[in-house]
Amino acid sequence: MDKVTEMYGTNVFNEQTMRQRLPKETFKELEKTIQDGKPLNIKIANAVAHAMKVWAIEKGATHFTHWFQPMTGVTAEKHDSFINPQDDGTVIMEFSGKELIKGEPDASSFPNGGLRATFEARGYTAWDPTSYAFIKNGVLCIPTAFCSYTGFALDKKTPLLRSMEAISRQALRVLKLFGNEDVRSVKTTLGPEQEYFLVDKQYFEQRKDLIYTGRTLFGAPAPKNQEMEDHYFGTIKSRVQKFMNELNEELWKLGISAKTEHNEVAPAQHELAPVFSTTNIAVDHNQLTMEIIQRVAKKHDLVALLHEKPFDGINGSGKHNNWSISTDTGVNLLEPGDTPYENAQFLLFLTAIIKAVDEHQDLLRLAVATAGTDHRLGANEAPPAIISIFLGDELTAVLESIENDTTYDGVGKELMKIGADVLPKFTKDTTDRNRTSPFAFTGNKFEFRMPGSALSVAQPNIMLNTVIADVLCDFANELENADDFESALHALIQRTLKQHKRIVFNGNGYDDAWVEEAKRRGLLNLKTTVDALPYSILPENIALFERQGVLRRDEIVSRYEIMMEEYTKVLNIEALTMIDMAKKQILPAIVRFEKELADTIVLKRAVLETLPSSYETGTLEAISTAMEQAFAALKALEVKVAELHQIDDFELAAAFVRDVIIPAMDSLRAPCDQLEMLTDTELWPFPTYGKLLFGII
């Protein structure tokens, strides 16, 4: 057996390991819980816990943790050892079913959005048996949900699991109408691509902005950026390849199916893509992927930047959310087949998605809303903030023929002719790809391209699952009561397409004309996080989530508050970091350079009054002017930050950040970046874009 197959999943308590280590009846009962959602009794839990403990100890683990995903955007864990002291002064290693099923971390310091008072500290973690336990850093990690003492979800996994149940429940109703009596469950699947930057650790450690915020707050363009387009899919540098090799091994040990790796468009930017898996597992795996990318990078004296826009003026990083939906019998419900016009089941699910995306543009936009994403959307590297769907020419033509009751002639499979006989012939896809579309159909899945690289993909998938489940519910209600199913089905698809075709756009999303066209169509253009988030608490959206059993009103309102406060906190930290860097590093460095120039001018004139000093005097004049502008902008930003700290209302604070703080930060950055272009490189206080982007050799 080769090395990869031997190592793959070795640190995961997966189905194969459970089959080997659990009694046959215990495994069957656990399988019912995993596959069908059956309750797990304590007897079975004890047996699973014992087998899991023995396996983990054999792997060198001494501790276990309930691994969960609070509203911080990262994961959390509290380690407990297996030891149980005995009366004779020795210890035994124990792990019970109760410890497996439930944990009690202190919930007081996690974001809660007002769901609990400060003194109500108790929280609970509950085992998610559908996501395998694993060993990380010598600790047995048990994927769990996280809730408050009063039962409110304080995490991202709980509503994700609820949304998966909702879409399965409604999709089953629809599938039964098509005679699919053998289908017991429907699962959404996910393949999140992960983009990131790598920079040399020595340069990272000299940049306070990267350390504190994950992005550069100052930085003039390097002489070369990405304009030559030579980095994309280019040869991977040997140092980066060594990092990628170790990264793959660490991911494979955890059963994470890292599949594709390559250089991305921007210098120092890279991408990793996995094979599809069930959505909650894919979300878990992506959180682990981000953590392990950063950890492995440090072992190679590199630092991985996951921020959506770490460098101004060049491409940022996204996380393309490849979403699909499949039955437990192995049928991809978004597979059109060779004759999509005749595939009524596919067309109904496609129509449901079109309606859901059109009716709930606001929810999909706010699902990706962060301060970092605001820098990236619409910047010729990511879709615009306007939600639309790309279907391609063939599917669009199919839907138009249904809408208009005309005959669809179809297009045959066309062979690509490349112009050299030696090259192999292959079938041309029926549609191109559209990288400017936020939500693009790509064969048998939709690629939601708006999420940023640092985002937990739980949030966009909660939204997708919920809004589509709600439309499927409406469809099932209508069709279940129809006298003639086929006629009602045709009428439903036709009517829905007519009502929601405005959301379909196959053109260039970067074109300014699209902004005006989208406005004419009545599509939303929510450019910032502060614009988007208030839509989450509209009465109709709260009713939607309560109707599908995904989030309760209090949980929705709390998330709104948490996300608005997070936006403000992120920008406050960035503003304070800018002030610190400008005051303590940039301006003192400029003073030193000014002194060098002034001393040189004085020295030249002392030697010979007529000695030319146009460089020195011209540079000194330009620097002095820019420095005065920078100092004035610095003082103005300090005043505005002080004003921000006096605002108690979280909504007013977020709006103040958007409208006042960000422009003030831009006003400080502009003259400072100009100063960098004028200043002796040896005197500039931190590494430039040139070193950061091209420093890995």
Side-chain angles (χ1 to χ4, degrees), residues 76 79 108 124 184 224 240 242 246 267 315 383-384 604 674:
H79 300 175
S108 61
Y124 294 114
R184 295 183 303 167
K224 177 189 176 187
V240 174
K242 289 177 181 178
E246 184 172 352
N315 280 17
K604 277 188 172 184
Q674 184 183 358

Side-chain angles (χ1 to χ4, degrees), residues 337-356:
D338 293 332
T339 55
Y341 185 75
E342 300 171 354
N343 189 342
Q345 181 175 284
F346 161 74
L347 289 171
L348 184 65
F349 276 92
L350 177 65
T351 304
I353 292 170
I354 291 171
K355 178 181 179 183

Side-chain angles (χ1 to χ4, degrees), residues 221-230 266-267 312-314 689 693-694:
K224 177 189 176 187
N225 286 313
Q226 63 188 55
E227 63 271 20
M228 297 303 295
E229 300 174 336
D230 54 344
D312 186 51
I314 67 171
Y689 272 20
L693 293 170
F694 298 95

Side-chain angles (χ1 to χ4, degrees), residues 376-395:
R376 179 176 166 266
L377 292 182
N380 283 0
E381 66 206 62
I386 304 165
I387 299 288
S388 65
I389 295 178
F390 169 82
L391 293 178
D393 296 337
E394 182 185 21
L395 268 186

Side-chain angles (χ1 to χ4, degrees), residues 262-273:
H262 62 84
N263 289 347
E264 254 299 334
V265 173
Q269 188 184 33
H270 311 279
E271 181 177 302
L272 179 150

Side-chain angles (χ1 to χ4, degrees), residues 151-413:
F152 289 114
L154 295 175
D155 67 342
K156 300 190 176 184
K157 167 159 279 197
T158 302
L160 177 65
L161 293 173
R162 292 172 183 169
S163 75
M164 291 173 66
E165 289 181 0
I167 197 169
S168 178
R169 185 167 56 247
Q170 304 305 336
L172 283 174
R173 293 175 62 196
V174 172
L175 290 173
K176 291 290 190 288
L177 295 170
F178 285 93
N180 297 287
E181 298 295 337
D182 58 331
V183 178
R184 295 183 303 167
S185 66
V186 174
K187 295 186 183 298
T188 55
T189 56
L190 176 64
E193 303 167 28
Q194 179 70 52
E195 294 177 344
Y196 58 95
F197 281 82
L198 290 175
V199 298
D200 196 290
K201 185 180 177 184
Q202 64 171 321
Y203 298 140
F204 171 88
E205 291 174 341
Q206 297 174 56
R207 299 268 326 202
K208 292 182 180 180
D209 47 5
L210 289 180
I211 292 171
Y212 296 141
T213 75
R215 77 178 184 103
T216 54
L217 302 173
F218 298 102
K224 177 189 176 187
N225 286 313
Q226 63 188 55
E227 63 271 20
M228 297 303 295
E229 300 174 336
D230 54 344
H231 192 260
Y232 192 49
F233 282 19
T235 302
I236 299 172
K237 294 175 181 176
S238 58
R239 186 176 172 193
V240 174
Q241 187 65 69
K242 289 177 181 178
F243 152 78
M244 287 182 171
N245 291 343
E246 184 172 352
L247 172 64
N248 286 330
E249 290 186 3
E250 292 301 311
L251 294 175
W252 289 337
K253 290 175 186 176
L254 289 169
I256 300 172
S257 52
K259 178 75 171 176
T260 303
E261 61 190 25
H262 62 84
N263 289 347
E264 254 299 334
V265 173
Q269 188 184 33
H270 311 279
E271 181 177 302
L272 179 150
V275 178
F276 275 64
S277 55
T278 305
T279 299
N280 65 311
I281 296 174
V283 170
D284 286 357
H285 283 180
N286 185 252
Q287 291 293 137
L288 282 169
T289 296
M290 290 191 288
E291 177 187 336
I292 294 169
I293 284 174
Q294 293 177 307
R295 190 174 76 229
V296 173
K298 290 177 182 177
K299 294 174 66 175
H300 293 262
D301 289 325
L302 301 169
V303 174
L305 305 178
L306 297 177
H307 194 282
E308 295 85 351
K309 191 75 171 180
F311 301 100
D312 186 51
I314 67 171
N315 280 17
S317 295
K319 178 147 41 193
H320 304 153
N321 192 94
N322 295 288
W323 180 94
S324 194
I325 180 170
S326 300
T327 68
D328 63 335
T329 57
V331 176
N332 184 333
L333 297 175
L334 295 185
E335 177 59 65
D338 293 332
T339 55
Y341 185 75
E342 300 171 354
N343 189 342
Q345 181 175 284
F346 161 74
L347 289 171
L348 184 65
F349 276 92
L350 177 65
T351 304
I353 292 170
I354 291 171
K355 178 181 179 183
V357 173
D358 184 34
E359 289 185 337
H360 302 292
Q361 306 160 46
D362 53 351
L363 293 178
L364 293 185
R365 170 63 183 94
L366 70 87
V368 302
T370 65
T373 298
D374 286 355
H375 295 293
R376 179 176 166 266
L377 292 182
N380 283 0
E381 66 206 62
I386 304 165
I387 299 288
S388 65
I389 295 178
F390 169 82
L391 293 178
D393 296 337
E394 182 185 21
L395 268 186
T396 300
V398 167
L399 298 183
E400 285 176 351
S401 68
I402 294 173
E403 179 192 344
N404 300 316
D405 268 334
T406 57
T407 301
Y408 173 68
D409 295 329
V411 292
K413 293 291 184 181

Side-chain angles (χ1 to χ4, degrees), residues 51-99:
M52 197 180 284
K53 177 204 71 176
V54 172
W55 170 79
I57 290 173
E58 289 175 5
K59 293 282 185 180
T62 57
H63 288 68
F64 69 93
T65 183
H66 275 200
W67 184 80
F68 57 102
Q69 300 171 35
M71 293 297 294
T72 56
V74 294
T75 58
E77 51 196 68
K78 179 190 73 169
H79 300 175
D80 288 300
S81 72
F82 291 121
I83 66 168
N84 186 4
Q86 302 298 295
D87 292 340
D88 61 0
T90 61
V91 298
I92 60 174
M93 306 293 269
E94 287 190 340
F95 182 50
S96 68
K98 181 180 178 182
E99 290 172 310

